[in-house]
Amino acid sequence: MTPPFLTVRDLLRYAVSRFNEAQLSFGHGIANAYDEAAYLILHTLHLPLDMLEPFLDARLLEAEMSKLLQVIERRVQERAPAAYITHEAWLHGYPFYVDERVIVPRSLIGELLQEKLAPWLNETHPVQTVLDLCTGSGCLAILAAENFPQARVDAVDVSADALAVAQRNVATYDLEERITLYEGDLYAPLPATRRYNLIIANPPYVNEASMHELPAEYQHEPRLALAGGSDGMDIVRQIVAGARRWLAPHGTLVVEIGHEREYAQAAFGKLNLNWLTTSAGDDFVFMLNAADLNS
């Protein structure tokens, strides 16, 4: 009898069908069933992630077939994000280790860091110190260090488990001498003498009503890293309130708030919020300068 599957193409078709049939949610760095199926297959077979086409008609060993089917079924049955299955997430060309101790990296601040926050930041006031609040896996701290090579970066998280993941990623990129990790509540663990040219934060910001509507995939992520209170602004309020104390005179605060612009406007309407343009639109990340907070 001819086996039901022979090639990578066969498994790709099957995986896309299973994912669509199961109505999986895609929002952790991969946008659709086809791309996620391709990623899981290539990763499982230890093939280059950007080279699917040459391998589509390659025949699979029985052991490879079995392993791929297990991965596909785990994604369907557990509804775990692909990144938790592979322990790998990519953000703007950088791979990071992830597991259930941290949310899957997908921050829009990452793309702004890739652009060095131009034109908002410039060489007139160079970025020499960066603070990453709610660092999670450490991905934004690492991207900040990579894109501002003269800067020292402090990164804070209240979760010791998250910081263990961040430490692993910092070590992978050999940035231990430039990135310092702190465990504690926002600004609390920082040395009193610190001042920052740039503070970035991708904090918990999902409002309570939305928390109850999250797809199953998001339920695998730590609630601590997602839930932002009734309007999503509980942690954001603390970040904004404390920023004036920790920013350098010409410093800048950048905060991601997801789909909560309406609540952010209500909470900080008296401040001069600058909404930054990202690939997702103009409603997801705001910026405040030190001068805005001093007014």
Side-chain angles (χ1 to χ4, degrees):
M1 179 181 295
T2 303
F5 303 122
L6 291 175
T7 66
V8 171
R9 190 186 301 273
D10 293 337
L11 262 294
L12 179 64
R13 196 285 306 161
Y14 173 73
V16 173
S17 294
R18 286 289 287 133
F19 294 172
N20 284 333
E21 178 187 30
Q23 297 183 321
L24 299 184
S25 176
F26 306 101
H28 292 88
I30 300 177
N32 55 67
Y34 176 87
D35 288 343
E36 185 146 307
Y39 165 70
L40 286 171
I41 289 170
L42 290 168
H43 185 278
T44 302
L45 294 176
H46 306 287
L47 294 172
L49 298 181
D50 59 350
M51 293 182 64
L52 175 63
E53 188 68 29
F55 304 106
L56 279 172
D57 294 313
R59 293 200 173 198
L60 294 163
L61 298 173
E62 184 177 342
E64 292 175 326
M65 188 81 68
S66 176
K67 190 171 184 180
L68 283 168
L69 288 171
Q70 289 175 19
V71 167
I72 292 166
E73 285 308 302
R74 180 180 174 192
R75 178 67 180 93
V76 171
Q77 297 300 328
E78 297 182 15
R79 300 185 75 95
Y84 288 161
I85 296 173
T86 63
H87 294 303
E88 175 186 81
W90 288 78
L91 193 62
H92 305 294
Y94 288 79
F96 298 98
Y97 173 85
V98 295
D99 59 32
E100 289 83 350
R101 292 174 290 179
V102 296
I103 62 171
V104 177
R106 52 187 179 273
S107 174
L108 295 168
I109 292 176
E111 65 186 59
L112 298 172
L113 291 172
Q114 291 290 87
E115 299 168 359
K116 297 181 172 59
L117 282 158
W120 303 101
L121 302 186
N122 55 60
E123 295 181 357
T124 304
H125 303 291
V127 175
Q128 297 177 323
T129 52
V130 179
L131 172 61
D132 176 25
L133 295 172
C134 309
T135 192
S137 64
C139 59
L140 292 183
I142 291 167
L143 289 179
E146 291 285 309
N147 286 285
F148 297 106
Q150 304 305 313
R152 293 190 58 84
V153 180
D154 290 342
V156 180
D157 205 287
V158 72
S159 167
D161 285 341
L163 288 175
V165 175
Q167 182 60 58
R168 177 169 177 166
N169 285 317
V170 169
T172 295
Y173 285 96
D174 195 24
L175 287 168
E176 295 99 325
E177 293 187 3
R178 293 184 52 215
I179 298 178
T180 303
L181 301 176
Y182 292 92
E183 180 184 349
D185 186 9
L186 300 177
Y187 306 102
L190 297 170
T193 56
R194 287 284 205 276
R195 295 296 182 275
Y196 298 97
N197 304 121
L198 175 62
I199 299 176
I200 56 177
N202 181 27
Y205 55 66
V206 182
N207 68 70
E208 189 59 32
S210 295
M211 283 296 297
H212 294 296
E213 299 173 358
L214 288 177
E217 283 81 355
Y218 293 86
Q219 303 295 340
H220 286 267
E221 296 184 296
R223 179 181 172 86
L224 181 67
L226 294 174
S230 60
D231 65 352
M233 294 294 109
D234 285 3
I235 307 301
V236 181
R237 286 187 182 89
Q238 296 177 53
I239 290 171
V240 172
R244 178 180 176 180
R245 155 74 174 80
W246 295 95
L247 281 172
H250 297 283
T252 300
L253 170 68
V254 176
V255 183
E256 185 164 344
I257 50 82
H259 295 276
E260 310 292 355
R261 176 167 178 166
E262 180 180 352
Y263 287 120
Q265 292 281 185
F268 310 112
K270 295 182 180 180
L271 296 174
N272 182 31
L273 299 182
N274 295 295
W275 293 93
L276 306 185
T277 298
T278 71
S279 60
D282 302 337
D283 300 323
F284 300 91
V285 181
F286 70 76
M287 182 187 77
L288 287 164
N289 293 312
D292 298 324
L293 293 165
N294 290 330
S295 60

